[in-house]
Amino acid sequence: MLKNSKVTLGIPYSEPVTESVADLLTLAEPLDYKSSRMSMGLSPGAQPAMGKGLLPSPGDEEGRPAWNSKLQYILAQVGFSVGLGNVWRFPYLCQKNGGGAYLVPYFILLILIGIPLFFLELAVGQRIRRGSIGVWNYVYPQLGGIGVSSLMVCGFVGLYYNVIIGWSIFYFFQSFQYPLPWAECPIRVVNGSQAIIEPECEKSSATTYFWYRQTLNITSTIEDSGGLNWRMTLSLFAAWLIVCLAVIKGIQSSGKVMYFSSLFPYVVLICFLVRGLMLKGSVDGIAHMFTPKLEKMLEPQVWREAATQVFFALGLGFGGVIAFSSYNKRDNNCHFDAALVSIINFITSILATLVVFAVLGFKANIMNEKCVVESAEKILGYLNSGVLSPELIPPHINFSHLSAVDYQEMYGVIKTVREDSFDQLGLDPCVLEDELNKSVQGTGLAFIAFTEAMTHFPASPFWSVMFFFMLINLGLGSMIGTMTGITTPVLDAFPKIRKEFLCVGCCIVAFFCGLLFVQRSGNYFVTMFDDYSAGLPLTVVVILENISVAWIYGTKRFMQDLEDMLGFRPYSFYFYMWKYVSPACLTVLIVATVIEMAVSPAGYNAWVEELASEKFLSYPPWALGVAYSLIIAAMLPLPCVFIARHFNLLSDGSNKLSVSYRKGMTKDLSGLEEENESRFILSKGTPSPNPSPMPSHRPYLGPGGAQEMTNTAGYGTGTPTKTGYQNINSPESVL
């Protein structure tokens, strides 16, 4: 102590004395070593330079960009989670797995897995304020590979996802003509005079032919690349250009885009629902959807597919959720956000399913009427040629106004009387239920079934333009989240990189990598990446996220952090979900996925031009090697980072404090001691009559306010520390 201080001179001191350093620290704001004036070499009173376009939140000591408003943030999360899967995957699963009965396991698993894990990702991103790599390095550096695996999966998914946006752009511009180019089969001129319908189109349908031949110009096998499809190449370039412009300024630009890209799809879906309900047969489709097949609920496959859909519908594990939430203020109510976005996502899936089944019900009625007309013409031909007796036709049947019910009655009579030779007649039963049961998903739903239905709409070009513009916006919202999941952790790791250069560079590299998908065989690679690059790796990533927070960091400790951050303690429900239920469900899902991959043959549906139909083909050995290498590449960072940090081959970020910061901190403490060293008395004897006004339970937070400095195991070494503080893990610790 200084010789002239009041303490050493024995002068009575009337002011309350802080009992300990811990009390002193509770009075201080959490220290941020990176933005410290001492670390940044700034003079007192100087302000750190802010990057152009950054919108720092008030009081945000890190100078991190922030959302302009809560609405903008919610729309960004909704735009990321609500994607193409809500429109073409959820309705298919609903149709396949028992109609309305499928909604029961889906909703249960949304509560048990979806909302708790979505809340967990929002909370860690908002608390630590870093991208996926920085967050998991900070929580437990030995599992820092979680963030890298997440980034790898984002890259794989973004490559082929933007190809789908490119297809939608192509169809969007093709819709500005009447009649629509896929409304009728093209005519081929033979020998300069004879006109015939294109055989491939005649064997399939006009919309199927336009998709496979005029859009993709697809080859018959994955081994035959066929060269680049120049129209799809231009569409892919346009898609990456749009994405680049949307994310080039970070959340400042993407946030504004979200106002339109997130809201416009709802306008289109509502318009389609109103229009669809006015179409003949739409009620049949909706009734078919909501008719529950309760026996389906007992099948394990239904629960597995429901869990998978919940998992991907919310975008868990991609890093986009964490990246978006990292731009929030730390006191934002992320619990409310998790519930709100999850409910909006579920309602959107129901809305999209209503629209799809209303339109498919209309299409099924059109196809059924066409079947009745064609079969009735066959029967008339058999009557005229004497193959069938007129006595077989009920007297009230009128062939000029033949209804489906009348045809069913006539069909039943003929089948009963001519049982032995009935198959030779080639008559179709023309049952509406059979048309409704034809399962279509993915590109088959969007670019074939739904497109065919729209050709029967009045003013069909208008509805086609609206539909594909909606698909572009749905895809764009998801791509913005995917790109943010890639760029945010990179910018956190290398803050000197300008985000404009990073975004442009990523989009250019992704475009050239995406040329794989715009070959004539590119659709087969899209299927491969969709099946292998994301499913299993993302499930593993999310269960490790869950374990690292609930079991390594500690669920009780995390709940305390949430209470400090939100101002209230979350329900105990989340404690048990994070600790036990969610890990158990994810483990079962991983096992089921591995079994499914082992049992199901690895292959793809190839379009055979001669047959004008799809045929399942097994992957050749090299393609199978590519498929499994996608899984390995996405999961490889997990063991690599764990081993490297376990054997101290890779820094865990514990000693990232700059020398200038340490010296400056020492100087500050020394100066503070000169001013009043009585505030540093370490004695824990008699409490002072005026204790610290701050709650005694409030812990001192480490850099960035994300970690308590307590006596816990030092991350990266696995051994307890003997100092009064925990190892200071820098949120900037990256690979």
Side-chain angles (χ1 to χ4, degrees):
M1 295 185 181
L2 298 180
K3 294 182 178 179
N4 338 348
S5 70
K6 295 182 180 180
V7 174
T8 55
L9 295 176
I11 300 175
Y13 191 71
S14 58
E15 297 181 14
V17 179
T18 304
E19 296 180 34
S20 66
V21 173
D23 282 328
L24 172 66
L25 294 178
T26 58
L27 297 174
E29 291 296 325
L31 294 175
D32 179 17
Y33 68 91
K34 187 175 177 207
S35 58
S36 166
R37 303 186 192 285
M38 295 164 282
S39 176
M40 299 174 67
L42 298 178
S43 59
Q47 295 296 325
M50 303 296 294
K52 290 184 178 179
L54 299 183
L55 298 172
S57 59
D60 184 5
E61 70 277 8
E62 298 179 4
R64 190 173 182 81
W67 298 101
N68 285 336
S69 65
K70 181 66 175 281
L71 175 62
Q72 190 180 84
Y73 164 68
I74 293 296
L75 291 178
Q77 290 285 15
V78 169
F80 176 54
S81 65
V82 175
L84 298 174
N86 296 76
V87 174
W88 66 30
R89 178 71 178 166
F90 186 89
Y92 161 74
L93 292 174
C94 209
Q95 179 184 24
K96 175 186 174 186
N97 295 318
Y102 173 74
L103 300 179
V104 176
Y106 182 86
F107 187 75
I108 291 174
L109 291 170
L110 179 66
I111 299 298
L112 297 182
I113 298 178
I115 295 179
L117 293 179
F118 191 62
F119 179 29
L120 184 146
E121 288 202 355
L122 290 179
V124 295
Q126 180 175 308
R127 175 73 171 172
I128 302 175
R129 298 177 65 79
R130 292 293 182 267
S132 56
I133 295 179
V135 159
W136 302 114
N137 276 336
Y138 198 47
V139 172
Y140 187 59
Q142 289 187 0
L143 287 180
I146 293 174
V148 185
S149 289
S150 178
L151 189 146
M152 294 284 290
V153 173
C154 274
F156 289 148
V157 172
L159 287 178
Y160 76 83
Y161 202 89
N162 220 26
V163 174
I164 301 174
I165 299 179
W167 293 340
S168 302
I169 291 173
F170 176 75
Y171 267 77
F172 172 74
F173 285 105
Q174 290 291 318
S175 300
F176 288 95
Q177 49 186 307
Y178 185 82
L180 292 170
W182 50 83
E184 298 176 353
C185 285
I187 304 297
R188 178 193 292 184
V189 178
V190 181
N191 298 328
S193 59
Q194 185 180 1
I196 62 171
I197 297 177
E198 183 67 43
E200 186 181 3
C201 184
E202 189 175 19
K203 292 178 184 177
S204 54
S205 68
T207 50
T208 304
Y209 175 81
F210 186 86
W211 167 243
Y212 282 114
R213 187 55 50 211
Q214 296 189 333
T215 301
L216 301 179
N217 193 19
I218 200 167
T219 58
S220 297
T221 65
I222 195 173
E223 296 174 289
D224 180 13
S225 68
L228 289 177
N229 182 335
W230 68 269
R231 289 189 291 185
M232 292 302 100
T233 303
L234 292 177
S235 299
L236 179 63
F237 177 79
W240 277 114
L241 180 62
I242 293 172
V243 170
C244 184
L245 294 175
V247 301
I248 193 168
K249 289 289 186 180
I251 63 170
Q252 186 182 12
S253 57
S254 61
K256 293 180 174 63
V257 172
M258 285 297 183
Y259 281 114
F260 182 81
S261 64
S262 296
L263 295 176
F264 179 75
Y266 290 96
V267 176
V268 176
L269 285 174
I270 292 172
C271 290
F272 262 100
L273 180 61
V274 173
R275 184 67 187 90
L277 291 175
M278 295 189 292
L279 297 172
K280 179 183 178 182
S282 61
V283 177
D284 296 328
I286 294 176
H288 178 76
M289 168 202 163
F290 281 109
T291 302
K293 301 179 181 65
L294 299 179
E295 65 278 4
K296 285 279 190 180
M297 291 179 59
L298 302 177
E299 298 179 9
Q301 178 74 2
V302 174
W303 289 83
R304 186 187 74 83
E305 292 189 342
T308 304
Q309 179 61 20
V310 166
F311 187 79
F312 290 108
L314 294 174
L316 299 175
F318 281 95
V321 173
I322 293 176
F324 280 152
S325 65
S326 72
Y327 298 114
N328 272 329
K329 298 178 182 179
R330 284 201 180 92
D331 59 352
N332 175 63
N333 189 350
C334 55
H335 174 259
F336 171 79
D337 300 342
L340 178 64
V341 174
S342 300
I343 292 171
I344 291 175
N345 189 291
F346 180 66
I347 293 174
T348 304
S349 297
I350 299 296
L351 176 62
T353 303
L354 287 172
V355 171
V356 168
F357 274 88
V359 174
L360 291 184
F362 166 69
K363 174 180 173 290
N365 271 269
I366 295 292
M367 295 294 103
N368 198 55
E369 290 177 359
K370 183 180 178 181
C371 176
V372 168
V373 171
E374 291 176 350
S375 298
E377 290 177 352
K378 288 182 181 180
I379 294 174
L380 283 174
Y382 294 144
L383 291 174
N384 294 332
S385 61
V387 176
L388 293 178
S389 170
E391 296 177 356
L392 297 176
I393 309 302
H396 65 277
I397 297 295
N398 182 359
F399 278 91
S400 60
H401 297 89
L402 187 64
S403 65
V405 176
D406 292 341
Y407 173 78
Q408 289 294 325
E409 181 181 354
M410 184 171 55
Y411 177 87
V413 173
I414 296 174
K415 184 176 182 180
T416 303
V417 175
R418 299 291 300 271
E419 184 176 358
D420 297 335
S421 59
F422 180 78
D423 292 339
Q424 300 175 2
L425 299 177
L427 298 177
D428 293 320
C430 298
V431 180
L432 180 63
E433 190 76 10
D434 293 341
E435 286 290 337
L436 291 171
N437 282 329
K438 290 181 179 178
S439 300
V440 286
Q441 66 164 323
T443 55
L445 174 63
F447 298 104
I448 298 177
F450 210 90
T451 304
E452 183 176 355
M454 286 188 296
T455 60
H456 301 287
F457 280 22
S460 55
F462 168 78
W463 294 104
S464 183
V465 167
M466 293 281 284
F467 176 71
F468 289 109
F469 194 41
M470 178 191 72
L471 291 187
I472 293 170
N473 281 276
L474 284 173
L476 181 60
S478 297
M479 275 302 299
I480 288 174
T482 302
M483 288 296 295
T484 305
I486 295 173
T487 58
T488 297
V490 175
L491 290 171
D492 288 341
F494 307 101
K496 292 183 179 180
I497 298 178
R498 290 190 61 180
K499 58 178 163 291
E500 294 87 350
F501 294 157
L502 177 63
C503 291
V504 172
C506 287
C507 291
I508 291 174
V509 172
F511 168 72
F512 283 106
C513 293
L515 294 179
L516 172 70
F517 306 104
V518 292
Q519 302 176 99
R520 290 180 59 196
S521 61
N523 188 47
Y524 305 140
F525 288 98
V526 170
T527 302
M528 177 194 293
F529 272 64
D530 190 38
D531 291 340
Y532 290 92
S533 69
L536 183 60
L538 271 186
T539 315
V540 173
V541 163
V542 173
I543 193 173
L544 290 178
E545 290 181 356
N546 195 170
I547 291 172
S548 64
V549 170
W551 289 90
I552 298 176
Y553 185 80
T555 311
K556 291 182 179 179
R557 186 178 175 193
F558 187 56
M559 293 287 282
Q560 181 62 51
D561 286 347
L562 291 177
E563 183 176 1
D564 293 339
M565 184 170 67
L566 303 177
F568 63 90
R569 191 172 186 85
Y571 301 116
S572 299
F573 164 82
Y574 291 105
F575 177 90
Y576 296 105
M577 292 300 105
W578 289 330
K579 189 81 171 179
Y580 306 109
V581 179
S582 294
C585 291
L586 290 172
T587 302
V588 172
L589 180 58
I590 290 174
V591 172
T593 302
V594 172
I595 294 175
E596 178 73 14
M597 292 177 63
V599 172
S600 302
Y604 61 102
N605 290 318
W607 178 259
V608 182
E609 183 176 359
E610 294 74 19
L611 302 176
S613 63
E614 289 185 335
K615 180 181 178 181
F616 183 82
L617 298 178
S618 297
Y619 282 123
W622 66 267
L624 200 58
V626 172
Y628 286 120
S629 68
L630 293 173
I631 299 176
I632 295 172
M635 297 174 62
L636 194 59
L638 296 169
C640 288
V641 173
F642 184 87
I643 293 171
R645 285 185 170 154
H646 182 75
F647 292 101
N648 295 320
L649 301 176
L650 188 66
S651 170
D652 65 0
S654 297
N655 299 311
K656 286 287 185 179
L657 289 179
S658 65
V659 176
S660 62
Y661 174 80
R662 293 176 188 164
K663 291 181 178 178
M665 185 171 66
T666 305
K667 181 180 178 181
D668 265 13
L669 292 177
S670 176
L672 186 59
E673 184 178 11
E674 291 179 11
E675 179 182 345
N676 189 359
E677 61 277 353
S678 63
R679 296 175 60 86
F680 284 86
I681 296 175
L682 299 178
S683 171
K684 293 188 178 180
T686 306
S688 65
N690 297 308
S692 167
M694 299 300 292
S696 60
H697 72 275
R698 181 179 176 182
Y700 174 63
L701 303 180
Q707 246 180 331
E708 302 173 13
M709 305 189 81
T710 57
N711 287 324
T712 59
Y715 290 151
T717 62
T719 59
T721 59
K722 299 299 183 182
T723 64
Y725 302 106
Q726 183 182 6
N727 288 346
I728 303 176
N729 292 326
S730 164
E732 297 279 301
S733 173
V734 293
L735 299 178

